[in-house]
Structure formats: C-alpha cells, structure tokens
C-alpha cells in the first residue's frame, strides 16, 4: 500500500463509515467539532483572537471542557470582539471571576484582555493578527500515521510564539501555538485515512 493510501490503525470507523480518532469518535460534541471545525482555515481577526484565547484557557485542561463552556465564554467575553475585550476594566475581571460558566483563572482572564489590546495594536502599521499567524505556515505539513507521530510543537510554532510575545501577547507558548496552528488549518495533523485529512483546502495530502 502506498503512503498516500495508508490508513492509520489508530482511527475508529464510525457507524456512518467515517474514520475518526478516538477523541472524536464518541462524544457527539467532539465529533461535530472534529467533523466541521477543527483544522478548517480561520482567517479573520475575531476568529483568530477567540481561538488564541480559548487555547490559553485550555492549558492544563481538556479541550472537551473548553468546548462545552464555549457559549459561556463567548457571552462573558463579548463575542471575543477584540475592541470590546480590550476595554475591560477591573470591574469586568471581578465579574468574570464570579462567572461559573467559564474557567475562573485570573491570570488567563487578564491575559485575554492583554491579548485583545495587543491585537488592536497590530492593526497599526503591520499585519493584522490573522495575517501574522498565517505567515508562520510551514512549507510542509506533518503526515502522521500514528498518534505518536503527531508533533506537539515545531520550529514555526516556536517562532510564532516568540513573535507574538514580542508583540505583547501572553499565554502563547510554542505548544499552545502549535495547537492553534492545528485548529486553524495552518498545519494538517489529521491521521492518514481520516475522513478529514486534506479537506481544509490548505493542504492537498
């Protein structure tokens, strides 16, 4: 069997005949996210800001936890509108720390507000947030057959993290930024044989 037609033994074939990784094979919410959203291109400022924010909140937690709380996060953070979040005050921080619908972590809340302000600053004389993140797209994407072959960081994610920190962003480490790149389609780490492999329009194989 050629490399182009290999099917990962780590995939699960669902009742619908589609191959998914175990994390997306059971929970309906995760399956819907995997099938329709994860790995699809995000090229707008608000969308990229939301994903950077949620990746920061996910640190140390499961993505399922964040995904279930995403509607509450969107309500609490004004739809992740960078201009509105950048204007948050200490009163807003106090409000968020009392909001049981989100992850009540002061450092992550403060980082989201700081990152909103950094997002606005990028509008002046340089690439916007989404364009900046996409500028770190690698020349090649991983082609993992097994879970163990999926990297957790890359030279590009390290460079992106360094650049974002230089622009005033926080909670943007190389591992978090690689997860962002996966989620936004900048790299394709779908296992070979997954029904989502090479469906983003960014990568062809």
């Amino acid at each position: 069997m050629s490399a182009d037609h290999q099917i990962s033994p780590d995939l699960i074939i669902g009742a619908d005949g589609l191959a998914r990784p175990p994390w997306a094979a059971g929970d309906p919410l995760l399956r819907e996210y995997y099938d329709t959203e994860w790995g699809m291109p995000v090229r707008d400022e608000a969308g990229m800001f939301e994903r950077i924010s949620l990746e920061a909140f996910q640190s140390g937690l499961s993505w399922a936890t964040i995904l279930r709380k995403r509607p509450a996060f969107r309500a609490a953070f004004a739809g992740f509108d960078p201009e509105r979040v950048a204007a948050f005050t200490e009163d807003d921080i106090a409000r968020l720390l009392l909001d049981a619908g989100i992850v009540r972590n002061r450092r992550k809340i403060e980082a989201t507000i700081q990152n909103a302000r950094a997002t606005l600053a990028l509008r002046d004389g340089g690439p916007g947030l989404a364009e900046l993140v996409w500028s770190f797209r690698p020349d090649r994407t991983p082609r993992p057959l097994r879970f163990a072959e999926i990297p957790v960081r890359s030279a590009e994610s390290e460079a992106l993290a360094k650049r974002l920190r230089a622009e005033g962003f926080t909670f943007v480490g190389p591992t978090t930024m690689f997860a962002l790149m996966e989620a936004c389609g900048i790299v394709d780490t779908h296992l070979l044989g997954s029904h989502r492999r090479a469906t983003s329009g960014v990568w062809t194989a």
Side-chain angles (χ1 to χ4, degrees):
M1 181 178 291
S2 71
D4 290 340
H5 294 92
Q6 285 184 294
I7 297 177
S8 170
D10 291 340
L11 294 170
I12 293 175
I13 307 300
D16 56 5
L18 299 178
R20 302 177 180 87
W23 68 263
D27 186 312
L29 182 66
L30 289 172
R31 185 170 61 245
E32 175 71 11
Y33 175 69
Y34 181 79
D35 285 352
T36 65
E37 190 173 348
W38 189 70
M40 296 303 289
V42 175
R43 297 186 183 275
D44 64 292
E45 180 189 75
M48 188 64 74
F49 172 62
E50 174 179 312
R51 283 157 180 79
I52 286 177
S53 300
L54 293 180
E55 290 291 350
F57 275 105
Q58 187 271 332
S59 180
L61 302 171
S62 72
W63 179 247
T65 296
I66 300 302
L67 195 58
R68 291 189 180 95
K69 290 177 176 288
R70 184 165 63 172
F73 271 112
R74 287 173 169 170
F77 284 94
F80 288 101
D81 178 334
E83 291 187 5
R84 295 179 65 185
V85 177
F88 278 12
T89 66
E90 283 296 329
D91 287 342
D92 290 296
I93 294 174
R95 167 181 61 82
L96 292 166
L97 287 171
L98 294 174
D99 189 340
I102 67 169
V103 175
R104 293 177 288 183
N105 180 301
R106 174 178 281 274
R107 289 183 62 228
K108 293 178 180 180
I109 290 169
E110 291 175 342
T112 303
I113 298 169
Q114 170 59 31
N115 289 348
R117 293 168 181 166
T119 297
L120 298 187
L122 282 176
R123 295 178 180 178
D124 299 327
L129 177 60
E131 183 182 352
L132 175 62
V133 173
W134 274 92
S135 73
F136 288 87
R137 175 189 166 187
D139 293 330
R140 301 178 64 183
T141 190
R143 301 187 73 252
L145 182 64
R146 305 300 300 261
F147 275 120
E149 297 172 11
I150 300 176
V152 297
R153 60 194 289 167
S154 66
E156 291 81 13
S157 77
E158 291 170 2
L160 173 58
K162 182 178 180 180
R163 174 65 183 276
L164 287 175
R165 286 195 293 263
E167 298 289 351
F169 288 79
T170 62
F171 272 89
V172 289
T175 300
T176 299
M177 289 302 95
F178 190 78
L180 175 76
M181 295 168 81
E182 291 178 290
C184 295
I186 298 170
V187 294
D188 185 345
T189 58
H190 292 288
L191 294 172
L192 296 180
S194 164
H195 81 97
R196 288 295 322 285
R197 181 81 199 173
T199 61
S200 68
V202 177
W203 302 100
T204 58

